[in-house]
Amino acid sequence: MLRSLAGALLALGCASNPTNPSPPPPTGPVKLLFLGNSLTYTWDVPALVAQMADAAGRHDLTVKSVTYDSYALEDHWSYGIGRGELESGNYDFVILQQGPSTLASSGVQLTQWARTWSDDARAHGTRPGLYVVWPPSGGDLDAGIANYEAAARAANAALYPAGEAWREAWKLDPTMPLYGPDQFHPGQHGAWLAALVIVSVVLDRPVTDFPNTFPAQITPSQESQLREAARLAIARYGHR
């Protein structure tokens, strides 16, 4: 069982550090818990993850989301619903998402609460990880990525580098429409790219294994570029 394996590796002091090898890919049923805000629930990134896994033959991956508008990890801890779900749900992975966290102060807060949540997750046999998001258009994406990476290291948590994949996608095509109309929340391209990163890292499978769930919106050329962006981001930062 993945939970037992993760606990054994943690006892060796290496299971949850992003700089160390990841545990073997899960072979049995996989349960994911997402804790976040509107950057997770816009276009329902968790549901996209489940759809991609199912289409790739992993019919045993299930997701649960606890998301509230503008919530930070501290808010989730105080509210308690996510804590109760984590304690009772027997999850394999918890995927934590805060806001962009581009400032030094928000980076400190992210690290503090990533540690708190990660310690609680491991106490319940669950593998913690941070879902790296992005700032509004014109914001400091590099700083946000750096703060999420630092928090993951400090918390001995995994990293799901969606924000890095966004950065790589814009390197390949500066006009890639990752944002939705408000220039902050993801559009279909951005949500699909984020979900692709997460499902590929969780299942430890190539990005080419998962389908385009928005074929009417994401063209074959865009799909190819987004897959390459996800591959590059995972190669640099993606660890379970």
Side-chain angles (χ1 to χ4, degrees):
M1 182 69 179
L2 179 63
R3 284 177 287 275
S4 299
L5 176 60
L9 289 174
L10 178 60
L12 294 174
C14 66
S16 51
N17 189 329
T19 62
N20 287 321
S22 297
T27 55
V30 178
K31 291 184 68 177
L32 307 182
L33 174 63
F34 285 80
L35 300 179
N37 54 41
S38 56
L39 293 176
T40 290
Y41 71 64
T42 300
W43 288 109
D44 203 344
V45 169
L48 289 176
V49 168
Q51 290 167 18
M52 288 179 176
D54 186 68
R58 287 303 304 261
H59 312 303
D60 55 357
L61 183 147
T62 57
V63 301
K64 170 77 174 184
S65 300
V66 179
T67 55
Y68 301 100
D69 192 32
S70 301
Y71 261 44
L73 295 180
E74 180 180 6
D75 300 316
H76 274 290
W77 186 265
S78 298
Y79 192 46
I81 299 298
R83 290 165 63 190
E85 188 66 41
L86 181 61
E87 290 166 7
S88 63
N90 202 30
Y91 289 96
D92 297 289
F93 298 90
V94 59
I95 299 176
L96 306 164
Q97 177 260 309
Q98 189 159 275
S101 301
T102 58
L103 303 176
S105 58
S106 55
V108 169
Q109 185 196 48
L110 175 63
T111 295
Q112 175 187 348
W113 289 99
R115 283 173 166 164
T116 299
W117 275 106
S118 294
D119 288 345
D120 193 46
R122 284 188 286 268
H124 294 92
T126 301
R127 177 82 166 98
L130 294 179
Y131 164 23
V132 185
V133 290
W134 47 85
S137 179
D140 193 344
L141 178 58
D142 291 351
I145 293 169
N147 283 340
Y148 266 88
E149 182 190 15
R153 290 182 181 278
N156 283 333
L159 203 63
Y160 301 94
E164 173 67 12
W166 278 43
R167 179 164 61 180
E168 291 293 344
W170 280 322
K171 287 180 184 177
L172 293 169
D173 179 2
T175 68
M176 185 68 74
L178 300 177
Y179 287 118
D182 67 356
Q183 295 297 295
F184 179 31
H185 293 89
Q188 288 162 298
H189 294 68
W192 184 76
L193 178 55
L196 179 61
V197 168
I198 292 168
V199 72
S200 297
V201 174
V202 165
L203 295 179
D204 193 24
R205 288 175 58 170
V207 298
T208 52
D209 282 3
F210 304 100
N212 178 359
T213 50
F214 296 121
Q217 291 78 27
I218 301 175
T219 68
S221 175
Q222 290 172 331
E223 179 185 338
S224 177
Q225 290 175 319
L226 293 174
R227 289 189 191 279
E228 177 63 7
R231 186 192 68 78
L232 291 168
I234 292 168
R236 184 173 184 182
Y237 289 116
H239 301 268
R240 285 187 293 108

Short mmCIF file of all heavy atoms in Angstrom, two decimals, residues 95-148:
data_model
loop_
_atom_site.label_atom_id
_atom_site.label_comp_id
_atom_site.label_asym_id
_atom_site.label_seq_id
_atom_site.Cartn_x
_atom_site.Cartn_y
_atom_site.Cartn_z
N ILE A 95 -2.66 17.60 -1.87
CA ILE A 95 -2.07 18.59 -2.77
C ILE A 95 -2.52 19.97 -2.31
O ILE A 95 -3.70 20.30 -2.39
CB ILE A 95 -2.45 18.29 -4.23
CG1 ILE A 95 -1.91 16.90 -4.61
CG2 ILE A 95 -1.92 19.36 -5.16
CD1 ILE A 95 -2.31 16.42 -5.99
N LEU A 96 -1.57 20.74 -1.80
CA LEU A 96 -1.83 22.00 -1.12
C LEU A 96 -1.58 23.17 -2.05
O LEU A 96 -0.53 23.25 -2.69
CB LEU A 96 -0.92 22.12 0.11
CG LEU A 96 -0.96 20.95 1.09
CD1 LEU A 96 0.24 21.01 2.03
CD2 LEU A 96 -2.26 20.96 1.89
N GLN A 97 -2.51 24.10 -2.08
CA GLN A 97 -2.37 25.27 -2.96
C GLN A 97 -2.73 26.53 -2.20
O GLN A 97 -3.78 26.62 -1.58
CB GLN A 97 -3.28 25.12 -4.19
CG GLN A 97 -3.28 26.31 -5.14
CD GLN A 97 -4.48 27.20 -4.95
OE1 GLN A 97 -5.62 26.72 -4.94
NE2 GLN A 97 -4.25 28.50 -4.80
N GLN A 98 -1.81 27.49 -2.21
CA GLN A 98 -2.05 28.81 -1.66
C GLN A 98 -2.15 29.79 -2.83
O GLN A 98 -2.21 29.39 -3.98
CB GLN A 98 -0.93 29.20 -0.69
CG GLN A 98 -1.20 30.46 0.11
CD GLN A 98 -0.37 30.56 1.37
OE1 GLN A 98 -0.73 30.02 2.40
NE2 GLN A 98 0.75 31.25 1.28
N GLY A 99 -2.19 31.09 -2.54
CA GLY A 99 -2.17 32.08 -3.60
C GLY A 99 -0.81 32.14 -4.26
O GLY A 99 0.07 31.31 -4.00
N PRO A 100 -0.55 33.15 -5.10
CA PRO A 100 0.72 33.23 -5.82
C PRO A 100 1.95 33.28 -4.92
O PRO A 100 3.01 32.78 -5.30
CB PRO A 100 0.57 34.52 -6.64
CG PRO A 100 -0.90 34.70 -6.80
CD PRO A 100 -1.52 34.17 -5.55
N SER A 101 1.82 33.91 -3.73
CA SER A 101 2.91 33.93 -2.74
C SER A 101 4.21 34.46 -3.34
O SER A 101 5.27 33.88 -3.17
CB SER A 101 3.11 32.53 -2.13
OG SER A 101 1.93 32.08 -1.52
N THR A 102 4.12 35.60 -4.01
CA THR A 102 5.31 36.16 -4.68
C THR A 102 6.11 37.08 -3.77
O THR A 102 7.28 37.36 -4.06
CB THR A 102 4.88 36.96 -5.92
OG1 THR A 102 3.97 37.99 -5.54
CG2 THR A 102 4.21 36.05 -6.94
N LEU A 103 5.54 37.56 -2.68
CA LEU A 103 6.24 38.47 -1.78
C LEU A 103 7.05 37.68 -0.76
O LEU A 103 6.76 36.52 -0.47
CB LEU A 103 5.24 39.37 -1.06
CG LEU A 103 4.31 40.22 -1.92
CD1 LEU A 103 3.33 40.99 -1.05
CD2 LEU A 103 5.12 41.16 -2.80
N ALA A 104 8.04 38.35 -0.18
CA ALA A 104 8.84 37.69 0.86
C ALA A 104 7.96 37.29 2.04
O ALA A 104 8.08 36.18 2.58
CB ALA A 104 9.95 38.63 1.32
N SER A 105 7.04 38.16 2.44
CA SER A 105 6.17 37.87 3.58
C SER A 105 5.23 36.69 3.29
O SER A 105 5.01 35.83 4.16
CB SER A 105 5.35 39.11 3.96
OG SER A 105 4.57 39.55 2.85
N SER A 106 4.67 36.65 2.08
CA SER A 106 3.77 35.54 1.75
C SER A 106 4.56 34.24 1.57
O SER A 106 4.03 33.15 1.81
CB SER A 106 2.94 35.86 0.51
OG SER A 106 3.75 36.20 -0.59
N GLY A 107 5.82 34.35 1.16
CA GLY A 107 6.66 33.17 1.09
C GLY A 107 6.92 32.58 2.47
O GLY A 107 6.91 31.36 2.65
N VAL A 108 7.13 33.45 3.44
CA VAL A 108 7.32 32.99 4.83
C VAL A 108 6.05 32.31 5.33
O VAL A 108 6.11 31.24 5.96
CB VAL A 108 7.69 34.18 5.74
CG1 VAL A 108 7.62 33.77 7.21
CG2 VAL A 108 9.08 34.70 5.39
N GLN A 109 4.90 32.91 5.06
CA GLN A 109 3.63 32.31 5.47
C GLN A 109 3.41 30.96 4.79
O GLN A 109 2.98 29.99 5.42
CB GLN A 109 2.47 33.25 5.16
CG GLN A 109 1.13 32.73 5.67
CD GLN A 109 -0.06 33.43 5.06
OE1 GLN A 109 -0.12 33.60 3.84
NE2 GLN A 109 -1.01 33.84 5.89
N LEU A 110 3.71 30.90 3.51
CA LEU A 110 3.56 29.65 2.77
C LEU A 110 4.42 28.56 3.40
O LEU A 110 3.96 27.42 3.60
CB LEU A 110 3.96 29.85 1.31
CG LEU A 110 3.99 28.62 0.42
CD1 LEU A 110 2.60 27.99 0.28
CD2 LEU A 110 4.54 28.96 -0.96
N THR A 111 5.67 28.87 3.71
CA THR A 111 6.57 27.88 4.32
C THR A 111 6.04 27.42 5.67
O THR A 111 6.02 26.22 5.97
CB THR A 111 7.97 28.47 4.46
OG1 THR A 111 8.52 28.71 3.16
CG2 THR A 111 8.89 27.51 5.21
N GLN A 112 5.60 28.37 6.49
CA GLN A 112 5.10 28.02 7.82
C GLN A 112 3.94 27.04 7.75
O GLN A 112 3.93 26.01 8.44
CB GLN A 112 4.66 29.28 8.55
CG GLN A 112 4.01 29.00 9.91
CD GLN A 112 3.42 30.26 10.55
OE1 GLN A 112 3.67 31.38 10.10
NE2 GLN A 112 2.64 30.07 11.60
N TRP A 113 2.97 27.34 6.88
CA TRP A 113 1.77 26.51 6.85
C TRP A 113 1.94 25.27 5.99
O TRP A 113 1.26 24.24 6.22
CB TRP A 113 0.57 27.35 6.43
CG TRP A 113 0.24 28.29 7.55
CD1 TRP A 113 0.59 29.61 7.67
CD2 TRP A 113 -0.41 27.95 8.76
NE1 TRP A 113 0.18 30.11 8.87
CE2 TRP A 113 -0.44 29.11 9.57
CE3 TRP A 113 -0.98 26.78 9.26
CZ2 TRP A 113 -1.02 29.13 10.83
CZ3 TRP A 113 -1.56 26.79 10.52
CH2 TRP A 113 -1.58 27.97 11.29
N ALA A 114 2.88 25.30 5.06
CA ALA A 114 3.23 24.07 4.35
C ALA A 114 3.82 23.06 5.33
O ALA A 114 3.52 21.86 5.27
CB ALA A 114 4.20 24.36 3.21
N ARG A 115 4.65 23.54 6.24
CA ARG A 115 5.21 22.65 7.27
C ARG A 115 4.11 22.07 8.16
O ARG A 115 4.10 20.87 8.46
CB ARG A 115 6.22 23.42 8.12
CG ARG A 115 7.58 23.65 7.48
CD ARG A 115 8.41 24.57 8.35
NE ARG A 115 9.82 24.56 7.97
CZ ARG A 115 10.69 25.48 8.37
NH1 ARG A 115 10.28 26.49 9.13
NH2 ARG A 115 11.95 25.41 8.00
N THR A 116 3.22 22.95 8.60
CA THR A 116 2.15 22.51 9.49
C THR A 116 1.29 21.43 8.84
O THR A 116 1.01 20.37 9.42
CB THR A 116 1.28 23.70 9.91
OG1 THR A 116 2.10 24.66 10.59
CG2 THR A 116 0.13 23.27 10.81
N TRP A 117 0.85 21.71 7.61
CA TRP A 117 0.01 20.75 6.90
C TRP A 117 0.78 19.47 6.57
O TRP A 117 0.23 18.37 6.64
CB TRP A 117 -0.53 21.38 5.62
CG TRP A 117 -1.76 22.18 5.82
CD1 TRP A 117 -1.89 23.54 5.82
CD2 TRP A 117 -3.08 21.68 6.07
NE1 TRP A 117 -3.19 23.92 6.05
CE2 TRP A 117 -3.94 22.80 6.20
CE3 TRP A 117 -3.62 20.41 6.17
CZ2 TRP A 117 -5.31 22.66 6.44
CZ3 TRP A 117 -4.98 20.27 6.41
CH2 TRP A 117 -5.81 21.39 6.54
N SER A 118 2.03 19.62 6.19
CA SER A 118 2.81 18.44 5.81
C SER A 118 3.05 17.52 7.00
O SER A 118 2.97 16.28 6.87
CB SER A 118 4.15 18.87 5.20
OG SER A 118 3.94 19.54 3.97
N ASP A 119 3.33 18.11 8.16
CA ASP A 119 3.50 17.28 9.36
C ASP A 119 2.21 16.54 9.68
O ASP A 119 2.23 15.35 10.04
CB ASP A 119 3.91 18.16 10.55
CG ASP A 119 5.34 18.66 10.44
OD1 ASP A 119 6.11 18.13 9.61
OD2 ASP A 119 5.68 19.60 11.19
N ASP A 120 1.08 17.22 9.56
CA ASP A 120 -0.20 16.59 9.85
C ASP A 120 -0.51 15.49 8.82
O ASP A 120 -1.00 14.42 9.18
CB ASP A 120 -1.30 17.65 9.83
CG ASP A 120 -2.62 17.15 10.42
OD1 ASP A 120 -2.57 16.52 11.50
OD2 ASP A 120 -3.67 17.36 9.80
N ALA A 121 -0.20 15.76 7.56
CA ALA A 121 -0.44 14.76 6.53
C ALA A 121 0.37 13.49 6.80
O ALA A 121 -0.17 12.37 6.76
CB ALA A 121 -0.08 15.33 5.16
N ARG A 122 1.65 13.65 7.10
CA ARG A 122 2.48 12.48 7.34
C ARG A 122 2.01 11.70 8.57
O ARG A 122 2.12 10.48 8.62
CB ARG A 122 3.94 12.90 7.46
CG ARG A 122 4.58 13.22 6.12
CD ARG A 122 6.08 13.45 6.26
NE ARG A 122 6.37 14.72 6.87
CZ ARG A 122 6.58 15.86 6.19
NH1 ARG A 122 6.52 15.86 4.87
NH2 ARG A 122 6.86 16.98 6.84
N ALA A 123 1.48 12.42 9.56
CA ALA A 123 0.95 11.75 10.75
C ALA A 123 -0.23 10.85 10.42
O ALA A 123 -0.53 9.91 11.17
CB ALA A 123 0.55 12.78 11.80
N HIS A 124 -0.87 11.12 9.29
CA HIS A 124 -2.01 10.31 8.85
C HIS A 124 -1.67 9.44 7.64
O HIS A 124 -2.56 8.97 6.93
CB HIS A 124 -3.20 11.21 8.54
CG HIS A 124 -3.74 11.90 9.75
ND1 HIS A 124 -3.32 13.15 10.14
CD2 HIS A 124 -4.64 11.49 10.68
CE1 HIS A 124 -3.94 13.49 11.25
NE2 HIS A 124 -4.74 12.51 11.61
N GLY A 125 -0.37 9.23 7.40
CA GLY A 125 0.05 8.34 6.33
C GLY A 125 -0.15 8.89 4.93
O GLY A 125 -0.25 8.11 3.97
N THR A 126 -0.21 10.22 4.79
CA THR A 126 -0.50 10.86 3.52
C THR A 126 0.72 11.63 3.04
O THR A 126 1.38 12.31 3.82
CB THR A 126 -1.70 11.81 3.65
OG1 THR A 126 -2.84 11.07 4.10
CG2 THR A 126 -2.04 12.48 2.33
N ARG A 127 0.99 11.56 1.75
CA ARG A 127 2.14 12.23 1.15
C ARG A 127 1.77 13.68 0.82
O ARG A 127 0.91 13.92 -0.02
CB ARG A 127 2.53 11.49 -0.13
CG ARG A 127 3.69 12.11 -0.92
CD ARG A 127 5.01 11.67 -0.33
NE ARG A 127 6.10 11.98 -1.25
CZ ARG A 127 6.87 13.07 -1.16
NH1 ARG A 127 6.65 13.96 -0.24
NH2 ARG A 127 7.85 13.25 -2.03
N PRO A 128 2.41 14.67 1.47
CA PRO A 128 2.06 16.07 1.19
C PRO A 128 2.81 16.62 -0.02
O PRO A 128 3.92 16.19 -0.34
CB PRO A 128 2.50 16.79 2.46
CG PRO A 128 3.69 16.01 2.93
CD PRO A 128 3.38 14.56 2.56
N GLY A 129 2.19 17.57 -0.69
CA GLY A 129 2.84 18.24 -1.82
C GLY A 129 2.23 19.60 -2.06
O GLY A 129 1.09 19.86 -1.67
N LEU A 130 2.99 20.48 -2.71
CA LEU A 130 2.55 21.83 -3.02
C LEU A 130 2.30 21.98 -4.52
O LEU A 130 3.15 21.61 -5.34
CB LEU A 130 3.60 22.86 -2.58
CG LEU A 130 3.86 22.99 -1.09
CD1 LEU A 130 4.93 24.04 -0.83
CD2 LEU A 130 2.60 23.33 -0.34
N TYR A 131 1.15 22.52 -4.85
CA TYR A 131 0.74 22.81 -6.22
C TYR A 131 1.15 24.24 -6.52
O TYR A 131 0.57 25.19 -6.02
CB TYR A 131 -0.76 22.58 -6.32
CG TYR A 131 -1.51 23.14 -7.51
CD1 TYR A 131 -0.89 23.45 -8.71
CD2 TYR A 131 -2.88 23.33 -7.41
CE1 TYR A 131 -1.61 23.95 -9.78
CE2 TYR A 131 -3.62 23.82 -8.47
CZ TYR A 131 -2.97 24.14 -9.66
OH TYR A 131 -3.70 24.64 -10.72
N VAL A 132 2.20 24.39 -7.33
CA VAL A 132 2.77 25.70 -7.65
C VAL A 132 1.87 26.42 -8.65
O VAL A 132 1.66 25.94 -9.76
CB VAL A 132 4.19 25.55 -8.26
CG1 VAL A 132 4.81 26.93 -8.47
CG2 VAL A 132 5.07 24.70 -7.36
N VAL A 133 1.36 27.59 -8.24
CA VAL A 133 0.49 28.35 -9.12
C VAL A 133 1.23 29.57 -9.67
O VAL A 133 2.45 29.57 -9.75
CB VAL A 133 -0.82 28.74 -8.39
CG1 VAL A 133 -1.67 27.51 -8.15
CG2 VAL A 133 -0.55 29.47 -7.08
N TRP A 134 0.54 30.59 -10.08
CA TRP A 134 1.07 31.70 -10.86
C TRP A 134 0.42 33.00 -10.35
O TRP A 134 -0.67 32.96 -9.77
CB TRP A 134 0.71 31.50 -12.35
CG TRP A 134 -0.73 31.12 -12.45
CD1 TRP A 134 -1.82 31.95 -12.50
CD2 TRP A 134 -1.26 29.79 -12.43
NE1 TRP A 134 -2.99 31.24 -12.51
CE2 TRP A 134 -2.67 29.90 -12.46
CE3 TRP A 134 -0.69 28.52 -12.37
CZ2 TRP A 134 -3.51 28.79 -12.45
CZ3 TRP A 134 -1.54 27.41 -12.35
CH2 TRP A 134 -2.92 27.55 -12.40
N PRO A 135 1.02 34.14 -10.59
CA PRO A 135 0.42 35.41 -10.20
C PRO A 135 -0.50 35.95 -11.29
O PRO A 135 -0.56 35.38 -12.40
CB PRO A 135 1.64 36.31 -10.02
CG PRO A 135 2.59 35.81 -11.07
CD PRO A 135 2.38 34.30 -11.12
N PRO A 136 -1.20 37.04 -11.03
CA PRO A 136 -1.93 37.71 -12.11
C PRO A 136 -0.98 38.15 -13.20
O PRO A 136 0.24 38.25 -12.99
CB PRO A 136 -2.57 38.92 -11.41
CG PRO A 136 -2.58 38.59 -9.96
CD PRO A 136 -1.38 37.72 -9.73
N SER A 137 -1.51 38.41 -14.36
CA SER A 137 -0.69 38.86 -15.48
C SER A 137 0.17 40.05 -15.07
O SER A 137 -0.32 41.00 -14.45
CB SER A 137 -1.59 39.26 -16.65
OG SER A 137 -0.82 39.71 -17.75
N GLY A 138 1.45 39.98 -15.37
CA GLY A 138 2.38 41.03 -15.01
C GLY A 138 3.02 40.84 -13.65
O GLY A 138 3.93 41.59 -13.27
N GLY A 139 2.59 39.83 -12.89
CA GLY A 139 3.17 39.56 -11.58
C GLY A 139 4.49 38.82 -11.69
O GLY A 139 4.92 38.40 -12.78
N ASP A 140 5.13 38.63 -10.57
CA ASP A 140 6.47 38.05 -10.51
C ASP A 140 6.38 36.53 -10.43
O ASP A 140 6.41 35.95 -9.33
CB ASP A 140 7.23 38.63 -9.32
CG ASP A 140 8.73 38.31 -9.38
OD1 ASP A 140 9.11 37.41 -10.16
OD2 ASP A 140 9.50 38.97 -8.66
N LEU A 141 6.26 35.89 -11.56
CA LEU A 141 6.14 34.44 -11.61
C LEU A 141 7.38 33.77 -11.04
O LEU A 141 7.29 32.78 -10.30
CB LEU A 141 5.90 33.98 -13.05
CG LEU A 141 5.80 32.48 -13.31
CD1 LEU A 141 4.69 31.85 -12.49
CD2 LEU A 141 5.57 32.20 -14.79
N ASP A 142 8.56 34.28 -11.35
CA ASP A 142 9.79 33.67 -10.86
C ASP A 142 9.83 33.64 -9.34
O ASP A 142 10.24 32.64 -8.73
CB ASP A 142 11.01 34.44 -11.39
CG ASP A 142 11.20 34.29 -12.88
OD1 ASP A 142 10.50 33.46 -13.50
OD2 ASP A 142 12.04 35.01 -13.45
N ALA A 143 9.42 34.73 -8.71
CA ALA A 143 9.44 34.78 -7.24
C ALA A 143 8.45 33.78 -6.64
O ALA A 143 8.76 33.13 -5.64
CB ALA A 143 9.11 36.20 -6.76
N GLY A 144 7.28 33.66 -7.26
CA GLY A 144 6.31 32.70 -6.76
C GLY A 144 6.82 31.27 -6.85
O GLY A 144 6.68 30.49 -5.90
N ILE A 145 7.42 30.93 -7.97
CA ILE A 145 7.98 29.58 -8.13
C ILE A 145 9.06 29.33 -7.09
O ILE A 145 9.11 28.27 -6.46
CB ILE A 145 8.53 29.39 -9.56
CG1 ILE A 145 7.39 29.41 -10.58
CG2 ILE A 145 9.32 28.09 -9.67
CD1 ILE A 145 7.85 29.50 -12.03
N ALA A 146 9.94 30.31 -6.90
CA ALA A 146 11.03 30.16 -5.93
C ALA A 146 10.49 29.98 -4.52
O ALA A 146 11.02 29.16 -3.74
CB ALA A 146 11.95 31.37 -6.00
N ASN A 147 9.46 30.72 -4.16
CA ASN A 147 8.89 30.60 -2.82
C ASN A 147 8.22 29.26 -2.61
O ASN A 147 8.32 28.66 -1.53
CB ASN A 147 7.91 31.74 -2.55
CG ASN A 147 8.60 33.04 -2.23
OD1 ASN A 147 9.77 33.07 -1.85
ND2 ASN A 147 7.89 34.15 -2.37
N TYR A 148 7.54 28.76 -3.62
CA TYR A 148 6.93 27.43 -3.51
C TYR A 148 8.00 26.34 -3.40
O TYR A 148 7.86 25.40 -2.61
CB TYR A 148 6.01 27.15 -4.70
CG TYR A 148 4.57 27.50 -4.46
CD1 TYR A 148 4.09 28.79 -4.72
CD2 TYR A 148 3.67 26.56 -3.99
CE1 TYR A 148 2.76 29.12 -4.50
CE2 TYR A 148 2.33 26.88 -3.76
CZ TYR A 148 1.88 28.16 -4.02
OH TYR A 148 0.57 28.48 -3.80
#
